[in-house]
Amino acid sequence: MRSPLSSPLARHGRAFLQGTLALGLCAAVVASEPPRSAVNNKPIDLLSSPSPRTTQGARKLLTDIAQAGQRLVAVGESGLVLLSDDQGQTWRQAPTPTSVMLTAVAFAGDKAGWAVGHDGVILATSDGGATWQRQLDGRQADPLILAAARAQLAKLPAGNPDDPSPQRLQAEDAVAAAEAAVQGGPSRPLLAVRFFDTERGLAAGAFGQLFSTTDGGKHWAYIGDRLDNAEGLHLNGLTLTADGQILIAAENGTVFSSSDQGRSWSKAQVGYNGYLYGVLAVPGVGLTAYGFNGHVFRSVDGGANWKPVNSHSARSIVAAQAIPGGALLLNEDGQVLLSQDQGASFKPLGARLPVKRLSGVTLLQRPGQGRTLVTVGLGGAALHTLPSAATADSQRISP
C-alpha cells in the first residue's frame, strides 16, 4: 500500500514549497504582502485595480523595455507602463487596468503590443501603448492548466493503484498542483512574451506556464504540457528567431526549442544547473544563452548542443542585444560585454554603467550621437552612450 505521504497532494506540497523558494531567486519576481484598504482593512485586489498615477514613473522599478516603431515602451512595478517619443529623454505614463508588477513587454510593429506580469496577467495594446486591455489572467489561466493536466492523466492506463507508474505519479502531481493553484487564486507570474507577428505569439512564466495564441491574444491556449517539464521548471525567457524557431531559457540550465510553431519541442542542457534568463539569436549561425553569475553558453547547431563561453563577468547576465556580427550582453550591475565574433568570445566594454540592478535594455541610433543604450532597472530608465571602445570599432559595430 502507498503511504499517506506518497499521495499526490503531499508530493505536490513538497514540490510547491521547493518551487516557491526557487522563485524567490528568479529575476523580475518580487513577492510582497498585498496592501489593505484604509477603510475596511480588506486586501486590495491589485490584479483588478488600475495602475496608480505617478509623475515619477521614470525613477521607479522598471523591468523591461521594447521599441514600438519610433516609440519606447517600458513596464514595471504596480502595473506601470511608460512611453517615450523622444528616444528616452522624457517619459509619460499610460494607464493600465492592473496594479500587479509587469515583467515583460513586446511589440509586433509599431502598434500591436503585449505585456505580461504577476498573477498571470496579459495586457494588450493596439495603439502603440497608449491604452491597454486585459486579455488573460490567472483566474482564466489556472483552469486552462488544470484542464490540460486532467486530460494528460486521463490518457494514461490506470495500472496498479498500489504501485502506479512514474508517468502516472507525475500526471497525478500535475493535477494536484493545478487544483491547488485554482483553489489558491491567481499568484503565478508570467515572465516573458514574444510575438512572431500581430497574430501569433507566446507567453511563458513560473512553474512551467506556457500559453500560445494565433489571433492576437483574443484566445490563449495552454501548451505547457507539450514540454518535457515534469519538474515544472520556471520559464524565464522567450526568443523567436528569424527562421521561425522558438527558444525558451529555463531553470537547471535548460533550453526548450521548437521549430514548428510550438506543436512539438526538444529539450537541451547547456551543462550548468542554474538559472538561464534568456537566449539571444546572434547574427549568423550562433545562439547565446546567458544567466546567473555570468554564465554564458553558445550553440551553432540551433540549440541542440552548447559550449561554455567566458563572459568575464561574475554577476548575472540579465539583458542582451544583437549587433551586426555579434552581441552586447549586460550584467545586473551595468557592465557591458561585447562580442564581435558571433558570440564566440566576449570582453568588457568600458566601465560599468551607472545603474541600479539593471533588468532590460534596448539599443538606439541617435542622429549625430552614435549608438545609445536605454536601460531600465531598479533605478528607473536611463540613457547611456556606448563606451569609447565601441567608437573605435564603429566600422564593425554599426550596420
Side-chain angles (χ1 to χ4, degrees):
M1 295 291 290
R2 295 164 62 191
S3 70
L5 287 179
S6 66
S7 69
L9 186 58
R11 291 194 309 275
H12 163 63
R14 289 194 296 270
F16 186 82
L17 176 60
Q18 293 165 355
T20 302
L21 293 174
L23 186 59
L25 299 175
C26 186
V29 177
V30 178
S32 60
E33 175 73 16
R36 295 177 177 269
S37 168
V39 177
N40 53 29
N41 199 36
K42 292 183 179 180
I44 297 173
D45 182 3
L46 296 180
L47 184 57
S48 300
S49 300
S51 55
R53 298 295 298 173
T54 178
T55 60
Q56 301 297 319
R59 298 182 180 180
K60 291 183 176 292
L61 169 60
L62 299 174
T63 57
D64 198 16
I65 184 170
Q67 296 187 41
Q70 297 300 309
R71 173 175 288 174
L72 297 177
V73 181
V75 300
E77 64 173 293
S78 303
L80 183 62
V81 171
L82 298 179
L83 312 177
S84 176
D85 292 316
D86 55 11
Q87 298 192 310
Q89 297 182 67
T90 61
W91 297 85
R92 69 184 188 279
Q93 184 181 6
T96 69
T98 188
S99 291
V100 299
M101 177 174 287
L102 301 177
T103 58
V105 61
F107 275 79
D110 59 353
K111 297 297 183 182
W114 294 262
V116 300
H118 284 201
D119 293 356
V121 72
I122 301 179
L123 306 180
T125 179
S126 58
D127 54 14
T131 60
W132 295 82
Q133 299 78 41
R134 184 197 315 265
Q135 289 188 332
L136 188 77
D137 62 41
R139 296 185 182 97
Q140 300 86 43
D142 288 346
L144 293 177
I145 297 173
L146 176 57
R150 287 174 171 168
Q152 290 293 325
L153 180 60
K155 293 178 182 178
L156 299 175
N160 182 356
D162 294 328
D163 187 20
S165 67
Q167 292 81 9
R168 189 165 185 87
L169 287 175
Q170 289 180 353
E172 289 176 353
D173 281 352
V175 170
E179 289 174 342
V182 170
Q183 184 176 5
S187 63
R188 297 185 289 189
L190 292 173
L191 304 173
V193 61
R194 288 291 184 271
F195 270 70
F196 282 109
D197 50 40
T198 58
E199 301 296 321
R200 300 171 300 148
L202 300 104
F207 302 104
Q209 293 180 97
L210 183 61
F211 299 88
S212 70
T213 180
T214 57
D215 58 8
K218 295 176 183 177
H219 302 88
W220 288 90
Y222 180 70
I223 62 170
D225 55 338
R226 299 178 187 177
L227 303 182
D228 178 11
N229 188 19
E231 311 97 312
L233 300 176
H234 302 323
L235 309 181
N236 301 320
L238 274 168
T239 299
L240 309 182
T241 68
D243 60 1
Q245 186 180 15
I246 307 169
L247 296 147
I248 301 177
E251 285 183 279
N252 289 3
T254 303
V255 176
F256 296 101
S257 176
S258 174
S259 298
D260 58 7
Q261 301 292 306
R263 289 184 291 276
S264 63
W265 295 82
S266 61
K267 181 179 182 180
Q269 305 294 139
V270 300
Y272 151 73
N273 291 326
Y275 273 96
L276 295 177
Y277 295 135
V279 176
L280 180 69
V282 180
V285 296
L287 295 172
T288 295
Y290 54 91
F292 188 67
N293 279 357
H295 285 93
V296 173
F297 303 86
R298 184 178 187 238
S299 174
V300 295
D301 59 6
N305 297 281
W306 298 84
K307 292 184 178 180
V309 175
N310 186 358
S311 71
H312 297 281
S313 171
R315 305 297 290 175
S316 296
I317 310 296
V318 296
Q321 180 75 50
I323 60 174
L328 296 174
L329 301 180
L330 286 90
N331 71 20
E332 60 185 344
D333 286 345
Q335 179 63 60
V336 181
L337 307 165
L338 170 68
S339 173
Q340 294 180 292
D341 54 9
Q342 297 183 334
S345 65
F346 286 86
K347 62 182 180 181
L349 187 59
R352 75 174 189 86
L353 306 177
V355 298
K356 296 179 180 178
R357 292 292 181 179
L358 183 144
S359 58
V361 66
T362 193
L363 186 62
L364 301 178
Q365 179 71 53
R366 302 178 71 190
Q369 299 184 47
R371 285 194 168 265
T372 299
L373 294 174
V374 186
T375 62
V376 295
L378 183 61
L383 290 170
H384 317 272
T385 301
L386 276 178
S388 58
T391 305
D393 293 329
S394 60
Q395 293 302 312
R396 284 179 284 173
I397 291 181
S398 299

